[in-house]
Amino acid sequence: MTASVAHTLLHHQRLHCGVTAPRQVLSGLDLFSGHIGIPVTLVYPQGMQVAHMREALVQTLRHYPLIAGRMKKDRDGHVYVDCNDAGIDFRVHDHDEPLPAHGPDSDFGSQIKRYFQPFYPWQLVDQDRPLLQVNVHRFRGDGVILCCYGPHSLFDGAAYWQFMSDWSRMARGLEVVTPASDLQVVIDLAQGRGSADAPVLLVGDPDMRSRLSVMLRLGWQALKLRKGVFRISAVTMQRWKDEARLALPTDAGVSAVELAAAHCLKVTSALTRSSRTRRVGIVLDLRHRRRLRIPRDYFGNALCYGEARYTPQEIAQDSVAVLASKCRPSSEQISNDTLFSYLGMMEQYRQRRAIWRLFWDSAAGTLDGGLILNNCARFPMYDINFGQGGPAWYDICGVAFRMLMVVPTPEQDGGVDLHFTATRAELKAVAASLAAQAQVSASVPASLPAQTETSIPIEAYF
């Protein structure tokens, strides 16, 4: 047990589920996502029954033996998960202080570091490093912050929230079905597809000089970035949709995510000196592509990427509605040929143990005023109920490039919360713009019926 003046680690357990399984070789998609850890926090002001949720966690892990294993390398240098039930870390902390303020006006920011113990990517393979750590922080007055931390190479957004949903279902005595967790599915799908030397849209293998230049520029940019959280109310969002329907009568409709991204891009673009094309990198989920036949409950990484491009003149002159209607991947980017070529390239580079050479071009685009868009609007973070009700707040750390995460509000009322990593000046400009939009919404009632969301499914990055 360790302690500080206001904080005590009460329990640190290595939880085992009693289930082992055959080893699972990580796919190229897993490795491309990287072993970097992603802390996710959920706030429960009403508290929770810790012993009950811990037991439910053990039972849930029986359906997810990958999580309880360890990452290792085989004789050929390929990374795999030994599903040996080596266990996960479960910690309970007591804080001699009330639950911290939380919400869009009180996000955790850098304080999120208080709630987990980070590891570096090089500390994961061939070491006794649990692939998931669960930290329960109990505060005076029964409030709880739950922080779970694991590598992105094991969890993409869909996989993470599937696991969390099953854990909450188990805690409430509901049925949990073992997901499709055979990573070989993606490896087999990629066999013989494409060529390691064939160009694939948006992901490439730059020469060392170009790679070093971009990495140095991204590192310098990262020093200037901060994360802010902004709420777009359901009233404002519905007004934007109403205006878009009037401005684009022949369009099938724009989504809340597309409108939010277009608004942020329009506000921040004016602060960017670069005259280059603004690029919006869009994270996509291959589970939604029927031709690929990746199971919808696949546990692993199934991510690919799209991109929308705008000239600075377009952003300055076009309305938010028009910009939103263009905030989608092109048909070429998501064609079956492109996706199979992408999967084939990932597998070729995995076999060569050279995934580290690949680079997502849209990340470099953030250096010229672009951003990465992560659609979390359909993820069930506010439904993670262990028996005492769902969380009142979800929070996550910032990243090393300009990124917009769009998530539902706790009320799930049609509004959205924007978790935006950007410069201080950009965050200030977005805050002022959204405050002005809220004032307009207060004086202009919605005139058209609610609009159904109609946009290409987009996946989330942790």
Side-chain angles (χ1 to χ4, degrees):
M1 179 183 298
T2 61
S4 65
V5 175
H7 170 220
T8 302
L9 174 60
L10 291 180
H11 304 288
H12 178 191
Q13 297 175 283
R14 186 63 57 85
L15 300 184
H16 305 273
C17 63
V19 172
T20 60
R23 68 169 58 179
Q24 293 278 347
V25 176
L26 296 189
S27 73
L29 300 185
D30 297 322
L31 295 170
F32 187 66
S33 291
H35 298 319
I36 188 169
I38 300 176
V40 177
T41 58
L42 298 173
V43 181
Y44 295 83
Q46 71 274 32
M48 63 174 57
Q49 297 177 359
V50 175
H52 177 69
M53 60 92 76
R54 180 178 60 227
E55 178 56 31
L57 174 58
V58 172
Q59 296 302 318
T60 306
L61 288 171
R62 294 176 177 270
H63 298 273
Y64 291 85
L66 269 172
I67 295 177
R70 292 293 183 271
M71 285 191 187
K72 299 179 180 180
K73 280 186 179 180
D74 63 19
R75 288 182 296 179
D76 296 322
H78 296 300
V79 179
Y80 67 94
V81 177
D82 183 359
C83 302
N84 58 1
D85 193 26
I88 67 167
D89 278 344
F90 186 90
R91 304 182 186 92
V92 180
H93 310 254
D94 262 10
H95 294 252
D96 187 20
E97 59 187 12
L99 186 69
H102 50 274
D105 298 322
S106 303
D107 65 293
F108 292 148
S110 62
Q111 293 301 307
I112 201 170
K113 297 175 183 177
R114 301 177 61 192
Y115 305 122
F116 69 101
Q117 294 187 9
F119 54 77
Y120 297 102
W122 55 85
Q123 296 177 317
L124 202 62
V125 180
D126 284 333
Q127 299 191 42
D128 184 21
R129 179 75 58 180
L131 303 182
L132 178 68
Q133 57 169 270
V134 177
N135 297 276
V136 180
H137 295 265
R138 302 190 306 194
F139 293 82
R140 192 192 317 144
D142 295 331
V144 165
I145 293 177
L146 173 64
C147 183
C148 299
Y149 185 69
H152 200 349
S153 52
L154 189 66
F155 302 96
D156 69 6
Y160 179 86
W161 291 110
Q162 176 177 297
F163 169 72
M164 294 297 290
S165 294
D166 281 345
W167 181 9
S168 76
R169 288 178 61 84
M170 185 70 73
R172 289 177 286 129
L174 302 176
E175 181 184 8
V176 172
V177 178
T178 301
S181 55
D182 183 2
L183 304 183
Q184 191 66 34
V185 167
V186 168
I187 294 174
D188 290 344
L189 182 65
Q191 293 284 355
R193 305 280 188 174
S195 167
D197 299 321
V200 176
L201 290 170
L202 308 180
V203 175
D205 182 357
D207 61 67
M208 191 57 67
R209 182 176 179 179
S210 299
R211 183 193 311 277
L212 182 60
S213 174
V214 169
M215 295 305 293
L216 288 174
R217 292 179 64 201
L218 285 172
W220 175 249
Q221 176 182 255
L223 297 175
K224 299 181 286 184
L225 298 179
R226 301 293 183 271
K227 197 199 85 167
V229 180
F230 311 100
R231 177 158 296 174
I232 303 176
S233 70
V235 173
T236 294
M237 186 54 70
Q238 187 58 53
R239 177 172 63 81
W240 287 3
K241 290 181 180 179
D242 291 346
E243 293 172 351
R245 291 174 68 184
L246 292 173
L248 306 166
T250 61
D251 193 273
V254 292
S255 70
V257 173
E258 293 159 346
L259 286 164
H263 184 88
C264 289
L265 188 66
K266 193 172 184 69
V267 171
T268 59
S269 182
L271 303 177
T272 302
R273 295 180 180 179
S274 174
S275 60
R276 294 184 179 180
T277 298
R278 307 288 192 261
R279 301 163 65 174
V280 177
I282 304 169
V283 185
L284 303 172
D285 185 351
L286 293 172
R287 297 172 182 84
H288 294 275
R289 198 68 179 184
R290 291 183 181 178
R291 174 77 180 275
L292 301 183
R293 297 182 180 178
I294 297 175
R296 291 298 292 268
D297 65 341
Y298 175 73
F299 185 80
N301 280 272
L303 303 181
C304 69
Y305 307 96
E307 186 177 75
R309 297 191 176 196
Y310 306 87
T311 65
Q313 292 73 27
E314 279 182 289
I315 295 175
Q317 296 170 8
D318 288 351
S319 68
V320 169
V322 171
L323 295 176
S325 69
K326 301 175 182 178
C327 194
R328 298 161 187 172
S330 69
S331 57
E332 181 184 13
Q333 292 171 10
I334 58 174
S335 70
N336 288 323
D337 287 344
T338 297
L339 296 180
F340 277 124
S341 180
Y342 167 76
L343 288 169
M345 180 185 67
M346 287 290 175
E347 175 58 14
Q348 294 268 349
Y349 273 77
R350 184 195 71 83
Q351 291 179 3
R352 292 163 49 191
R353 301 184 302 280
I355 286 288
W356 63 272
R357 295 184 57 90
L358 296 177
F359 192 80
W360 184 19
D361 294 340
S362 298
T366 66
L367 294 167
D368 296 307
L371 57 86
I372 305 301
L373 175 61
N374 283 276
N375 180 356
C376 308
R378 293 183 175 88
F379 285 160
M381 58 276 290
Y382 290 112
D383 297 329
I384 307 305
N385 174 0
F386 298 104
Q388 289 75 48
W393 181 243
Y394 154 89
D395 215 334
I396 196 168
C397 63
V399 295
F401 42 79
R402 191 178 288 102
M403 184 178 77
L404 176 66
M405 295 182 61
V406 184
V407 306
T409 61
E411 297 78 16
Q412 302 183 67
D413 58 0
V416 293
D417 283 335
L418 311 182
H419 292 246
F420 193 20
T421 299
T423 67
R424 292 182 187 273
E426 290 166 344
L427 295 177
K428 184 176 180 180
V430 170
S433 175
L434 291 178
Q437 289 293 318
Q439 289 184 343
V440 173
S441 297
S443 60
V444 181
S447 58
L448 295 177
Q451 179 184 7
T452 302
E453 291 287 270
T454 54
S455 63
I456 298 171
I458 304 175
E459 229 290 326
Y461 183 95
F462 301 84

